[in-house]
Amino acid sequence: MTRTRQAIQGLLLFLPAFIVIFGFIFFPVGYSFWLSLTNKHAVFPHYEYVGFQNYAWMASEQDYWLSLWRGVIFSVGSIFFQVLLGLLAALLLNEAFFGRGLVRGIALFPYMLPTIVVILLWKWLLSASYGPVNYVLQALGLIQAPVVWLGEELLMASTIFVAVWQFFPFVVISLLARLQTIDLQLYEAAAIDGANAWKRFRYITLPALRYVLFVVILLRTFFMFTKFDVPWLMATGGGLQVLVQNLPVYAFRRTFRFMQAGEGAAVSVSLFLLLIVLSVVYFRTYRREAGS
Amino acid sequence: MTGMHSISRRGFLKGVAAAAGAGLGPAILTRSAQAQTRTLQIWHTEASDISVKAVQKVCDRFEQMHPGAKANQQGIAWADLGPKLYTALAAGTPPDIAHLNCYHFRSFQKQGAIVPIDDVYRAIGLNDVVESVRDMTLFQGKRWGISHHVGAPALMIRKDIAEQAGFKVPDDISKPMFPTWKEQLEYLKAVSKPDKRQWGMSLPGTGYFLQEHLGRWVGSNGGTFYDEKWNPAFHKEPFIQTLEFVKALSDNKVVPPDWLSQSWLGMIVEFSTGITTMIDHGYGRIAGSIEKYAPDKASEEYFMPIWRPVGPSGKIPYTDMDAEIWVIFSKSKLRDLAKEWLKLFYTRDMYLNYVRQYPVHMPPILKSLRKDPEYQALPELKKWRNWVRMQEINIDRGLAIPVGVYYPATNIQIPFLAEVFDSGIIADEIVGFVQGRRKGKEAAQRITDRANDLIKKLGYPVPDPIRSEKKL
């Protein structure tokens, strides 16, 4: 077989992967960037090239910075509690007790539910006018008047709570898988050496989990920063939306509410770049830590 | 490799090509078959099972009448139609026929996305169409859409709760129970008992519905969203007073404390189950919810429409006109067939079968059907007599203006209504004001400024965007 023929065959074999990667990754990202340089209407075809005008608009727009800030609060808050709760649940579910299999199944349940179901469920439970949570708290005499869980003051906290409830099982699955592979002899040896439970956790469990935690936190960061459905549905695209509006929701509103696809694309590109920078910083920090 | 069947590279590539062919083949054949059978795609917002069945009946009859033609309908939840339609339009693949909100029509018309349908009107009888919707989409001498029904939301009250609190609900629905918002607020304070989980009134937090409420109240306060030169008029006194009314409802705790997160359905459940005593969102469809959630109280002994009060600057109480329109898209290759489908939809038996699914919610647009004995004999129309009557009064007296248009009805010709209304700017600022983050005047001015900014971005001159149409 000639070298040319080999090269052609090689290219042909490479082609499907190239089409998939180019078509599903590079093209949409590139098209988004191109859109962000136009004043494209979201629905109608006409547009003009406007250079970096949308980025200049974005930088001067208070709502953009507020959305970024609220996105940070939502993401950091929900990731922190997902990891904390996930870790505690994984440690618990790693212990031997009667009915462990059943409890493990139930613990994964929230993650298996569609987000719309989760939100409708919690909005109903937390409603101030007809929600069972307030009803029970009132019946127990713990509160005098209904707590406005979905009002101005607590909406962000409620949104974080719902996100934690739905997504902490992801952390549980990941950590539990690693916990089950830690050599039990390490614990036995540590116990003989006089290490208490905290020390065993601090010096055996936690180091064993660090690689998994690294990946989990990285993935959850991507997932939560780009989360659209939870903040959107919690406020139903309504009056209080602005209080839980992160960048994906803001990009959606600029695109499909204001019909400014160019501006929406600029917001999306900024989020994309932000996540890339975050990932690079995170990776570098981790490598430095791992190296030391 | 032992024990394994070896395969040559050429064989592998052949296999891949065959698999791809097998995968794509049926898709290509299906597309080709669809092209030959001429398939109409119809999207509508009446997604309930019974309405879908009624529309299917039209499709079945259509296919019998037009051999070789198919009609595929999709009932899409009301809130999902917009995004789905926008996505399809952006991709250049809209359906042939779809429902649009009335206030969308000029944006779509201006962009050349829809075609005139005068021959549909001629076929069903122009003079048989109720005046309020007949000329609604009349622009440049052509009609661009036709309503599938014409309703109007009423201000509804829990009569039993009002009477227990010592208030008389008028039997004559055109006599006001409260002349102005002031008296209405006093009533709401009197019946609100938060410790017993009872509030005076339901309000929706969902942006669209919140804006809808505000729009009809601005109209009832002598105001408008746009002046005669199409400039945003949100910063004017009637609008500011309306904002203050919303804030007063919230501050006086006569609405549930989490109303800003309340959905359309949640609001209806509140009202149906007696958690709230009043709702200014009495679309006829709610009759069904009342029958579902409070079957023992499903009558006008408990749920009565009342005449809408006016604001401090208003004289005439306005409401919305609920009358989404069918349109045919210019991208459709089957426009003539699409028109035939619409003509069939409005034939007496088909249309009666359609409106009877929700008779209180869907008053017909055809005068002849309104007088039809079979239509008039529908039990729901008797059971909710005043509710139907209230809609008729509002529509016949010209007090119902299409949703999102506020006011006058001719403002429907403004070509950027859809973008400003759908942007949610108005809802954002209402919330900012209600939460005390801004003063009323400041919030109102911000709506005007933000609307102007958007109008400019859409390519219309500011001020006086009407100049963009002067050449017409």
Side-chain angles (χ1 to χ4, degrees):
Chain A
M1 193 181 283
T2 63
R3 286 179 69 86
T4 319
R5 205 183 159 101
Q6 269 186 332
I8 290 171
Q9 280 198 353
L11 280 173
L12 278 174
L13 286 169
F14 164 72
L15 199 60
F18 174 78
I19 290 171
V20 169
I21 292 171
F22 182 81
F24 290 99
I25 300 176
F26 291 115
F27 176 73
V29 171
Y31 186 67
S32 240
F33 181 66
W34 163 247
L35 263 186
S36 74
L37 304 176
T38 70
N39 63 356
K40 173 89 173 65
H41 189 286
V43 174
F44 304 118
H46 325 293
Y47 66 88
E48 287 162 13
Y49 174 77
V50 296
F52 286 88
Q53 204 171 294
N54 289 328
Y55 291 92
W57 158 82
M58 196 174 76
S60 65
E61 186 72 9
Q62 196 190 5
D63 279 353
Y64 172 79
W65 296 107
L66 269 177
S67 304
L68 176 62
W69 174 237
R70 284 179 178 134
V72 169
I73 294 173
F74 170 70
S75 307
V76 173
S78 62
I79 293 166
F80 175 77
F81 286 108
Q82 280 172 51
V83 172
L84 185 66
L85 193 63
L87 178 61
L88 292 174
L91 289 171
L92 185 70
L93 293 174
N94 194 41
E95 297 298 317
F97 59 87
F98 177 73
R100 184 173 72 170
L102 180 70
V103 178
R104 279 182 180 174
I106 292 172
L108 301 182
F109 179 67
Y111 196 59
M112 290 187 275
L113 289 174
T115 302
I116 182 69
V117 175
V118 171
I119 303 292
L120 287 177
L121 174 74
W122 277 105
K123 283 187 80 171
W124 173 71
L125 287 169
L126 297 174
S127 166
S129 48
Y130 49 76
V133 170
N134 273 316
Y135 182 81
V136 171
L137 292 176
Q138 257 181 317
L140 293 173
L142 296 173
I143 53 171
Q144 295 302 313
V147 178
V148 190
W149 302 107
L150 302 174
E152 179 189 0
E153 285 165 11
L154 292 176
L155 184 62
M156 177 60 91
S158 300
T159 306
I160 290 173
F161 169 77
V162 172
V164 170
W165 185 82
Q166 189 184 7
F167 300 118
F168 90 92
F170 178 89
V171 182
V172 176
I173 300 169
S174 312
L175 297 185
L176 195 54
R178 178 68 185 101
L179 283 173
Q180 287 171 346
T181 62
I182 300 176
D183 190 348
L184 293 176
Q185 287 182 354
L186 291 172
Y187 291 105
E188 286 164 11
I192 291 166
D193 288 347
N196 60 20
W198 166 249
K199 284 189 171 168
R200 289 199 297 272
F201 171 74
R202 170 74 183 80
Y203 294 108
I204 300 172
T205 311
L206 211 51
L209 290 179
R210 67 192 295 196
Y211 293 102
V212 183
L213 276 172
F214 167 77
V215 175
V216 164
I217 291 172
L218 184 71
L219 288 176
R220 291 314 318 163
T221 303
F222 288 145
F223 293 161
M224 298 320 289
F225 262 97
T226 54
K227 190 99 325 266
F228 171 80
D229 47 9
V230 175
W232 176 259
L233 292 167
M234 279 298 281
T236 335
L240 293 180
Q241 188 71 70
V242 73
L243 299 181
V244 286
Q245 180 169 282
N246 58 2
L247 285 183
V249 170
Y250 187 55
F252 174 82
R253 282 192 66 192
R254 291 312 298 188
T255 308
F256 288 109
R257 291 291 185 261
F258 286 71
M259 297 294 157
Q260 301 297 307
E263 292 177 358
V267 175
S268 304
V269 169
S270 77
L271 180 61
F272 175 71
L273 295 175
L274 181 75
L275 284 175
I276 286 183
V277 170
L278 268 180
S279 312
V280 170
V281 170
Y282 186 63
F283 265 101
R284 285 197 170 171
T285 312
Y286 179 77
R287 275 185 194 151
R288 203 179 307 137
E289 290 287 311
S292 67
Chain B
M1 261 182 259
T2 55
M4 282 184 74
H5 190 71
S6 66
I7 186 167
S8 69
R9 269 176 288 192
R10 187 170 294 178
F12 172 75
L13 286 174
K14 275 182 186 168
V16 169
L24 289 173
I28 293 164
L29 289 173
T30 310
R31 276 189 76 88
S32 149
Q34 272 185 352
Q36 279 169 7
T37 52
R38 298 186 302 160
T39 305
L40 270 185
Q41 298 295 343
I42 300 148
W43 294 357
H44 61 87
T45 49
E46 295 303 319
S48 69
D49 285 351
I50 52 175
S51 288
V52 167
K53 277 182 191 159
V55 177
Q56 189 56 46
K57 211 167 174 178
V58 184
C59 293
D60 294 343
R61 182 86 187 94
F62 176 81
E63 288 174 9
Q64 284 169 11
M65 290 169 66
H66 299 274
K70 277 189 75 66
N72 278 350
Q73 62 144 337
Q74 271 191 59
I76 298 161
W78 195 88
D80 295 338
L81 181 75
K84 189 171 163 78
L85 198 53
Y86 290 154
T87 312
L89 275 162
T93 54
D96 299 284
I97 305 173
H99 275 164
L100 278 190
N101 238 322
C102 305
Y103 69 86
H104 282 126
F105 119 79
R106 268 290 281 134
S107 293
F108 282 73
Q109 184 274 336
K110 173 115 182 162
Q111 302 287 345
I114 54 176
V115 295
I117 53 166
D118 295 84
D119 33 352
V120 174
Y121 275 94
R122 271 195 296 276
I124 63 177
L126 191 59
N127 291 328
D128 195 21
V129 179
V130 176
E131 282 76 6
S132 53
V133 296
R134 187 188 64 193
D135 297 336
M136 193 168 69
T137 63
L138 182 62
F139 186 74
Q140 293 178 322
K142 292 170 185 161
R143 290 178 172 80
W144 301 79
I146 183 163
S147 299
H148 68 112
H149 74 114
V150 53
L155 179 61
M156 303 289 295
I157 196 166
R158 272 294 293 265
K159 191 178 173 189
D160 54 326
I161 296 175
E163 288 178 351
Q164 279 164 18
F167 292 85
K168 171 87 181 103
V169 177
D171 293 325
D172 180 352
I173 55 169
S174 61
K175 293 257 166 62
M177 182 171 168
F178 317 109
T180 69
W181 293 345
K182 196 178 161 193
E183 291 82 9
Q184 184 186 5
L185 183 58
E186 290 309 312
Y187 166 80
L188 295 172
K189 283 187 207 167
V191 293
S192 290
K193 295 167 188 160
D195 53 326
K196 292 184 177 167
R197 289 195 181 206
Q198 181 176 295
W199 289 273
M201 186 174 182
S202 274
L203 267 186
T206 315
Y208 176 89
F209 295 112
L210 180 56
Q211 293 182 170
E212 215 182 64
H213 276 67
L214 203 84
R216 70 178 77 115
W217 291 347
V218 168
S220 302
N221 193 34
T224 173
F225 276 14
Y226 299 93
D227 68 16
E228 66 282 359
K229 291 184 174 176
W230 298 358
N231 290 303
F234 302 102
H235 57 291
K236 298 195 174 170
E237 197 55 25
F239 191 91
I240 297 169
Q241 286 172 338
T242 310
L243 281 183
E244 281 161 358
F245 177 56
V246 177
K247 188 160 171 29
L249 293 175
S250 192
D251 289 352
N252 282 288
K253 302 187 190 332
V254 298
V255 289
D258 55 356
W259 71 272
L260 277 167
S261 299
Q262 191 54 281
S263 66
W264 182 81
L265 190 61
M267 189 173 66
I268 291 167
V269 172
E270 282 175 351
F271 180 61
S272 304
T273 53
I275 291 171
T276 56
T277 74
M278 190 184 283
I279 193 170
D280 195 357
H281 207 64
Y283 285 101
R285 196 183 299 282
I286 298 172
S289 298
I290 293 170
E291 282 164 8
K292 184 175 174 184
Y293 296 115
D296 55 323
K297 295 186 174 66
S299 77
E300 290 188 342
E301 285 302 304
Y302 292 92
F303 296 93
M304 264 293 274
I306 56 171
W307 195 248
R308 196 181 300 282
V310 294
S313 302
K315 289 193 174 72
I316 303 165
Y318 283 106
T319 188
D320 309 329
M321 187 156 73
D322 179 33
E324 294 96 359
I325 50 175
W326 289 113
V327 294
I328 297 175
F329 288 95
S330 47
K331 287 250 180 193
S332 167
K333 289 176 180 156
L334 304 171
R335 289 183 215 167
D336 289 338
L337 264 184
K339 286 175 186 171
E340 292 306 312
W341 189 91
L342 282 180
K343 288 174 194 171
L344 180 64
F345 178 84
Y346 289 99
T347 52
R348 189 258 181 200
D349 288 354
M350 293 292 159
Y351 195 37
L352 173 60
N353 185 50
Y354 179 73
V355 296
R356 77 185 315 160
Q357 309 307 328
Y358 291 102
V360 187
H361 186 71
M362 293 203 200
I365 67 160
L366 300 181
K367 295 174 195 167
S368 55
L369 193 61
R370 276 188 175 192
K371 290 179 200 149
D372 193 298
E374 199 179 335
Y375 170 72
Q376 288 189 337
L378 293 173
E380 292 91 340
L381 300 187
K382 292 189 167 61
K383 185 175 181 181
W384 301 103
R385 189 172 49 87
N386 282 304
W387 202 331
V388 175
R389 177 97 188 94
M390 182 65 98
Q391 296 190 72
E392 286 172 356
I393 293 172
N394 278 305
I395 291 162
D396 294 346
R397 292 186 190 172
L399 301 177
I401 309 290
V403 172
V405 174
Y406 329 104
Y407 287 86
T410 48
N411 271 0
I412 200 168
Q413 300 205 341
I414 298 176
F416 45 79
L417 280 182
E419 284 88 347
V420 174
F421 194 80
D422 288 344
S423 71
I425 290 170
I426 305 168
D428 281 355
E429 300 300 334
I430 297 170
V431 175
F433 173 53
V434 168
Q435 292 176 337
R437 282 185 277 127
R438 292 189 185 93
K439 302 266 185 237
K441 271 189 183 174
E442 188 196 350
Q445 187 61 51
R446 273 177 60 90
I447 302 176
T448 290
D449 293 344
R450 291 178 70 187
N452 268 326
D453 183 44
L454 180 56
I455 291 165
K456 215 185 316 179
K457 281 181 177 167
L458 290 166
Y460 300 97
V462 172
D464 305 344
I466 199 168
R467 284 179 288 147
S468 68
E469 302 274 300
K470 277 202 170 158
K471 56 184 181 292
L472 297 172

